[in-house]
């Protein structure tokens, strides 16, 4: 994340601990952040974060969980102006970085 943040001139927000999914989700839902937010999170907690954001992990991840060996995926979640998830516009992206 550091090279990307540096290239974009952004600071990395490290306030949230790996097990503090609820606080991160609350911050994302209740504060203005702009149009695009990139969240990098622990694979083991991704399903919980998706649930907190109103997404169904089973629709976005195999068996509802992020595999330990998947490092080239991104999840794109889209929300309407009122902050509600738009399931039909939310999906998993395989970047194919490891190929």
């Amino acid at each position: 994340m550091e090279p990307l943040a540096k290239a974009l001139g952004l600071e990395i927000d490290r306030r949230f601990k790996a097990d503090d999914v609820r606080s991160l989700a609350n911050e994302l839902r209740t504060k203005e952040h702009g149009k695009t937010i990139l969240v990098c999170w622990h694979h083991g907690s991704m399903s919980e974060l998706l649930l907190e954001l109103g997404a169904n992990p089973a629709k976005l991840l195999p068996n509802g969980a992020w595999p330990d060996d998947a490092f080239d995926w991104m999840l794109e979640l889209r929300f309407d102006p009122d902050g509600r998830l738009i399931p039909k516009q939310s999906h998993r992206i395989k970047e194919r970085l490891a190929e």
Side-chain angles (χ1 to χ4, degrees):
M1 286 307 309
E2 289 181 14
L4 178 60
K6 185 176 180 181
L8 296 174
L10 301 172
E11 295 283 326
I12 297 175
D13 185 344
R14 301 173 197 257
R15 290 178 291 154
F16 304 97
K17 304 291 183 212
D19 61 350
D20 199 8
V21 174
R22 182 165 285 150
S23 293
L24 172 61
N26 186 55
E27 172 82 11
L28 294 172
R29 280 193 315 267
T30 61
K31 303 242 172 50
E32 183 66 35
H33 295 284
K35 288 186 174 187
T36 303
I37 303 167
L38 176 64
V39 175
C40 295
W41 206 253
H42 187 276
H43 289 178
S45 301
M46 191 58 71
S47 295
E48 183 182 354
L49 180 57
L50 290 170
L51 286 170
E52 289 287 338
L53 293 172
N56 180 349
K59 300 263 184 187
L60 296 166
L61 301 170
N63 300 316
W66 195 294
D68 289 336
D69 62 350
F71 296 99
D72 59 347
W73 290 3
M74 287 187 350
L75 298 177
E76 180 178 17
L77 303 180
R78 297 221 171 216
F79 297 86
D80 69 17
D82 295 321
R84 290 182 301 256
L85 182 75
I86 306 170
K88 291 183 179 184
Q89 293 183 15
S90 299
H91 60 279
R92 182 176 71 232
I93 301 166
K94 183 172 171 69
E95 289 290 319
R96 303 190 188 284
L97 299 174
E99 294 178 358

